[in-house]
Amino acid sequence: MQSGAGLGMFNRHQQSLEDGHRTAERLFEALGVSSLDEARQVPAAELLAAAEALPVPPESGREGDWSMMVNWVPCVDGRFITDQYARTIARGEQNEVEILLGNTTGEFMETDADGTLLPAGEVGNLKLIAEWIRSGRKAPYYYRFDVAMPGDDAGAFHSSELWFSFGTLATCWRPFVG
């Protein structure tokens, strides 16, 4: 699991089914469509652009947050996602599977209540690991990617491990030295 697999930042605000419907209605309005069939005819690039541009709803109380993290989060729909997964893990109801999760060192930095800068992705992953073990499951495999990428001062940023994970380092534009 990559990109926010842990407990915290990315699942702190899962939507209800009703919230998900309201988000879809706002997206349909932005696209100028009135049905799912019409939405399916929208070119993918146009759909993505509209989804990225969809503003944070004023009633969310989250103005200033990244709109993608407000609008496009998992939805507890009662069928595919039946509960917040933190509660599922706490009850020990998750499937008995081995998992691998991890993060980069500079990924998703957040300021804590006391002003301390924290790596929210890593903190969330470590919380997930602790809960997973506490629920009686086998300890997950964990990685922490800490390769400072050459070419600028971005460090080990979100997604920088993907070239290594998928064996595509040769396609990376960054100036690696052999």
Side-chain angles (χ1 to χ4, degrees):
M1 293 187 274
Q2 295 173 308
S3 299
L7 298 177
M9 178 181 228
F10 291 108
N11 50 31
R12 188 176 302 138
H13 303 286
Q14 286 180 302
Q15 290 187 358
S16 67
L17 183 58
E18 296 76 23
D19 291 336
H21 281 201
R22 282 191 288 277
T23 300
E25 289 168 356
R26 291 184 311 114
L27 178 63
F28 277 25
E29 184 178 327
L31 291 169
V33 300
S34 59
S35 71
L36 184 57
D37 286 336
E38 288 179 33
R40 288 181 172 148
Q41 302 306 310
V42 175
E46 186 179 328
L47 179 65
L48 178 59
E52 289 176 331
L54 196 65
V56 171
E59 67 275 7
S60 71
R62 297 183 59 197
E63 292 82 11
D65 284 358
W66 182 32
S67 64
M68 295 293 281
M69 290 300 301
V70 176
N71 294 320
W72 308 114
V73 295
C75 170
V76 178
D77 65 358
R79 180 174 178 185
F80 295 103
I81 300 177
T82 56
D83 198 356
Q84 302 275 341
Y85 75 87
R87 288 194 295 253
T88 300
I89 293 168
R91 291 189 304 260
E93 295 175 354
Q94 73 273 34
N95 291 330
E96 182 66 60
V97 295
E98 292 186 2
I99 61 172
L100 165 69
L101 69 156
N103 49 270
T104 65
T105 54
E107 188 166 44
F108 308 122
M109 301 302 284
E110 267 189 336
T111 304
D112 199 6
D114 67 0
T116 305
L117 195 60
L118 297 172
E122 184 170 335
V123 170
N125 283 335
L126 295 176
K127 285 180 183 176
L128 174 62
I129 290 168
E131 284 298 306
W132 196 269
I133 293 168
R134 192 195 59 69
S135 75
R137 300 298 193 253
K138 182 179 176 184
Y141 297 95
Y142 173 72
Y143 73 87
R144 183 176 191 253
F145 187 81
D146 194 21
V147 174
M149 302 299 281
D152 55 30
D153 62 354
F157 55 86
H158 175 67
S159 79
S160 62
E161 82 277 25
L162 296 180
W163 289 296
F164 294 85
S165 299
F166 294 110
T168 57
L169 192 57
T171 65
C172 178
W173 61 267
R174 292 183 168 270
F176 284 94
V177 182

